[in-house]
Amino acid sequence: MKKRTILFFILLIAASLLLFIYTFSILAHTPERTGTAGLWVDFFMNLPCCILIGYADYQVAKLLQKRFFEQNGIRIILSISLTALLVGVLAVAINYIVAQLYSFPFSIEGSVFPIVLWNSLIVLFIELFFYNRRQVEQQRKLAVMEKEKALYQFEALKNQINPHFLFNSLNVLAALAYEDAEKTNRFAKKLSGVYRYLLTTHDRPQVSVGEELDFVDAYLYLERIRFGDALRVAIVDCEIWHERKIVPVSVQMLVENALKHNIATSEMPLTIHIIIDSDGIVVTNNLQRRSCVVRNGMGLRNLQHQYALYNRRIEIESSDTSFIVKIPYLN
């Protein structure tokens, strides 16, 4: 707990204790203890013990927060019940000892009821504190998610709009215009489909596997025209997984990374396997690295950050001959 939180907590305990002592002194018809002197004597005698009780309440509530994080009702009932039992036993023991030492009348109801009621109020304040902290943490995580999502989407869009991709695509389109009108028309539609997908998913944190595969199909069509036999792609697909959710552009980014970092020629074709199964999507490519490419890993790191926001982890395996990335589903 921070210093300001501790100070506020002690002030809350002190204020509530003073109010309870005054109220129950009046209800118990003990005017000799409701005067200024008697009130403050009772207050300062009970304050240290009540601070310790409040600290114990906090630790019990903190422990139950971890065990019953999503079950608010059960957690609050358990917090109040457990602390009430402990405080009740402690109050009976202390009041009995004091009654024996100073010949005071001993009453279980008078000893237990006020302190248990006060303790229940403190527990409720502690639960309210934890609730407020959860809300603040959730808002912070949402802000981080939005920032990370914006960064990833910016990188994905920038990678597709970069001059090299656009220049290569337009060169291919211009060459096709002289050869095959139908193929030119199809290429232009696939190119527009790539950019349409990027623009329509920029504000969506998740897309279905089916949507992503349609996008990958359009992207691969463009790259197959460009690379010809130098690029070989095999997709093992099953439509029952098409409704599962993933981060937009994640599969395409892995394919693009494979093309960017590896040699692809007719003599040394680049082979990419995409497998969609029950656990996620696996993208594998053979390794034949280019020597002139800057490898900063930014795209893959951004993708890892995106999945980490959903408490999912991307698995990466690399050997001398292959590079494997497994993307988990978000649902």
Side-chain angles (χ1 to χ4, degrees), residues 186-203:
R186 191 179 304 117
F187 187 93
K189 287 182 178 179
K190 294 290 186 180
L191 183 59
S192 67
V194 166
Y195 284 99
R196 186 183 305 112
Y197 181 84
L198 290 168
L199 294 173
T200 56
T201 59
H202 77 281
D203 58 348

Side-chain angles (χ1 to χ4, degrees), residues 46-247:
N46 286 281
L47 183 59
C49 184
C50 287
I51 291 175
L52 291 176
I53 290 173
Y55 177 74
D57 289 342
Y58 175 83
Q59 293 299 326
V60 170
K62 184 179 179 181
L63 183 65
L64 292 174
Q65 283 282 330
K66 298 178 181 178
R67 181 66 180 82
F68 301 97
F69 184 76
E70 298 292 338
Q71 299 165 294
N72 294 326
I74 294 175
R75 187 183 64 251
I76 292 173
I77 291 172
L78 280 174
S79 292
I80 292 175
S81 301
L82 288 175
T83 56
L85 179 62
L86 294 173
V87 168
V89 171
L90 180 65
V92 169
I94 291 176
N95 278 276
Y96 179 77
I97 293 172
V98 171
Q100 294 297 315
L101 290 175
Y102 298 99
S103 300
F104 288 158
F106 174 70
S107 168
I108 293 181
E109 294 82 2
S111 304
V112 174
F113 181 69
I115 190 65
V116 167
L117 186 59
W118 171 84
N119 182 78
S120 300
L121 181 64
I122 295 300
V123 170
L124 288 176
F125 274 116
I126 292 171
E127 287 291 339
L128 186 62
F129 165 76
F130 278 121
Y131 173 79
N132 180 69
R133 193 165 71 173
R134 285 199 306 272
Q135 293 296 107
V136 171
E137 182 65 18
Q138 187 175 14
Q139 291 297 323
R140 188 191 67 80
K141 286 184 177 180
L142 285 174
V144 171
M145 285 182 68
E146 288 299 319
K147 181 180 178 181
E148 292 285 349
K149 184 181 75 173
L151 177 62
Y152 173 72
Q153 289 167 344
F154 171 73
E155 287 293 329
L157 194 59
K158 185 178 69 174
N159 287 339
Q160 289 298 343
I161 299 178
N162 73 69
H164 294 291
F165 177 80
L166 190 57
F167 178 76
N168 290 330
S169 297
L170 291 177
N171 272 346
V172 172
L173 189 61
L176 287 176
Y178 291 100
E179 300 173 6
D180 190 329
E182 183 179 347
K183 187 178 287 188
T184 301
N185 182 53
R186 191 179 304 117
F187 187 93
K189 287 182 178 179
K190 294 290 186 180
L191 183 59
S192 67
V194 166
Y195 284 99
R196 186 183 305 112
Y197 181 84
L198 290 168
L199 294 173
T200 56
T201 59
H202 77 281
D203 58 348
R204 294 171 58 189
Q206 303 177 17
V207 295
S208 68
V209 171
E211 291 176 293
E212 179 74 6
L213 288 180
D214 288 341
F215 168 58
V216 170
D217 178 72
Y219 175 76
L220 284 173
Y221 181 86
L222 304 179
E223 298 295 14
R224 282 193 183 104
I225 296 293
R226 176 186 167 197
F227 286 96
D229 294 336
L231 174 62
R232 300 174 184 177
V233 181
I235 301 178
V236 179
D237 188 16
C238 184
E239 290 188 2
I240 62 174
W241 313 119
H242 278 200
E243 295 305 314
R244 303 299 292 271
K245 301 296 184 181
I246 59 174
V247 171

Side-chain angles (χ1 to χ4, degrees), residues 260-278:
K260 178 181 177 182
H261 294 99
N262 292 278
I263 297 170
T265 64
S266 299
E267 295 77 22
M268 299 178 63
L270 177 65
T271 303
I272 300 174
H273 292 277
I274 302 173
I275 301 174
I276 292 90
D277 61 22
S278 58

Side-chain angles (χ1 to χ4, degrees), residues 9-36:
F9 190 58
I10 292 174
L11 290 175
L12 175 65
I13 288 175
S16 60
L17 176 63
L18 189 62
L19 178 62
F20 265 72
I21 290 174
Y22 180 75
T23 302
F24 278 92
S25 295
I26 293 175
L27 294 176
H29 303 291
T30 54
E32 70 280 359
R33 299 175 64 185
T34 60
T36 302

